[in-house]
Amino acid sequence: HVLPTGCVSIGWASAVSFVSPTHGWLGCASEGGAGTAGKGVAETSDGGQTWSVRARVMPPGAGGSIGTIGFGDYLSGLTMRPSGAGLIWEGRGGTLRTVDGGARWTSGPPGASDAGPVPAAISTPTDADWYALLWDPEAQASVVWASHDAGVSWAIVGAPGATSVATPGPTSSVDVGPSTVDAAGSFGAGGLWATHDGILYVSADGGRSWKAAPKTFTTPGACIDSGIGCGSPFVLDDHHAWVINAGPGSTEFTGSQTDVLKLVLDRTTDGGATWSHISIPGSYPGTTQSLAFVDADHGFLVCGWTRMSPTPSTVLRTDDGGMTWRVVHVGPPGGDTASLGSMFAASSASTLWA
């Protein structure tokens, strides 16, 4: 079904956070410049049939404000709890916190626009316990901060890897991993993951301890100039992960009808000890790829149309953990679903959001 996004009075949807198949929030963005941009948050309780704008701030003359949300920086991520508590993180490093369903937002740690740590992944497993994997410019490393009071106060607790660096506060040092991570995200109740040079690091305890996969997941020769962002997995738990790469036979992306993008799925069910490589049927040049799994068996792959893509948006489904895939939707040229983007989530085996 094609539903109103709830962002029509602001701009477009740039982030999504659903806590059930019917209850969720959208982070909305608009055109910006000089470090500022309009933004807002909309909430639905009926599966997207109707939306309520909880907060909105727009440039002068572009519409009235609702609630309290800062005009500075660009909205890039949103995570919410069923209680209505949640966090926004912004493109230049800022973080905003709410406890009332998104009507009132206050800025604070762990991020600080242009001056402090830049969020890479945030997990909010309970109303009180929140975790953020950040790039910290002072430590020159990726570190994990934790809050146990719904984002009021934060402290560094650890990081992927094993090199000690000085940190502020009562803890003199923490273990940090690679100086940067290539991709990061969260899973389950306090789980965090990060990748660096094809190695998957996973923490199941909010960043206090980490396990590095003994084998790399990147398929040899995968990261060619094919228009695909290689090496960003979907991590379900500390055992199951999947990642899409460009496969053999892919060509450099030129926007031509003759371009080819063959996809390969790398899959682990043992925390990265072993990886299997599965070819995805079809060719999807110029698309953006997004994976979402709701359990170890049921998952979806969206190959989203982009402006230069000769291929319409395509949705594929697996019911055996990624071993086999079938096409379940192809967006008609110019139709409402022709340009499904990379903002994609699955709240059940039968409910998708894009």
Side-chain angles (χ1 to χ4, degrees):
H1 301 285
V2 178
L3 304 172
T5 68
C7 293
V8 292
S9 65
I10 303 165
W12 56 87
S14 62
V16 60
S17 180
F18 268 78
V19 296
S20 77
T22 58
H23 190 197
W25 287 261
L26 288 175
C28 309
S30 70
E31 294 289 348
T36 62
K39 64 174 71 75
V41 174
E43 181 181 8
T44 182
S45 58
D46 57 11
Q49 298 293 330
T50 60
W51 294 87
S52 173
V53 176
R54 303 286 285 154
R56 178 179 68 196
V57 61
M58 301 294 289
S65 295
I66 299 173
T68 58
I69 188 169
F71 185 60
D73 213 333
Y74 313 100
L75 190 151
S76 61
L78 168 74
T79 183
M80 298 293 295
R81 292 283 306 159
S83 66
L87 279 174
I88 280 174
W89 57 101
E90 300 178 299
R92 297 172 68 176
T95 47
L96 307 175
R97 166 180 171 268
T98 186
V99 293
D100 62 3
R104 291 183 294 272
W105 295 85
T106 56
S107 60
S113 185
D114 292 337
V118 178
I122 292 179
S123 173
T124 55
T126 73
D127 286 342
D129 300 311
W130 297 357
Y131 306 96
L133 178 63
L134 311 170
W135 163 251
D136 191 321
E138 292 188 4
Q140 286 293 292
S142 299
V143 297
V144 177
W145 292 60
S147 172
H148 300 291
D149 52 15
V152 175
S153 59
W154 295 79
I156 295 176
V157 296
T163 302
S164 182
V165 298
T167 63
T171 302
S172 61
S173 67
V174 297
D175 288 339
V176 303
S179 58
T180 60
V181 296
D182 301 320
S186 61
F187 63 89
L192 295 169
W193 61 265
T195 64
H196 180 72
D197 285 346
I199 297 292
L200 175 65
Y201 298 84
V202 176
S203 171
D205 58 6
R208 289 176 177 82
S209 61
W210 291 80
K211 179 176 67 174
K215 293 181 181 293
T216 62
F217 58 79
T218 304
T219 305
C223 290
I224 62 173
D225 187 10
S226 56
I228 182 174
C230 295
S232 182
F234 182 93
V235 179
L236 179 70
D237 53 38
D238 55 352
H239 288 90
H240 297 85
W242 302 261
V243 61
I244 286 289
N245 285 307
S250 298
T251 62
E252 181 177 351
F253 178 65
T254 65
S256 168
Q257 293 287 337
T258 61
D259 289 344
V260 176
L261 177 56
K262 299 288 188 179
L263 298 176
V264 171
L265 179 78
D266 291 353
R267 170 181 181 262
T268 182
T269 59
D270 55 14
T274 59
W275 293 86
S276 55
H277 309 300
I278 299 131
S279 296
I280 305 294
S283 175
Y284 308 95
T287 61
T288 59
Q289 295 79 38
S290 300
L291 278 169
F293 277 77
V294 295
D295 55 39
D297 294 321
H298 302 96
F300 301 89
L301 168 63
V302 170
C303 299
W305 178 89
T306 60
R307 187 173 61 89
M308 295 293 291
S309 174
T311 306
S313 292
T314 304
V315 181
L316 298 94
R317 176 184 176 115
T318 180
D319 297 306
D320 55 11
M323 297 302 295
T324 61
W325 293 82
R326 70 181 190 276
V327 173
V328 294
H329 176 81
V330 176
D336 290 324
T337 57
S339 56
L340 291 175
S342 59
M343 190 189 73
F344 168 63
S347 54
S348 74
S350 58
T351 306
L352 311 181
W353 305 92

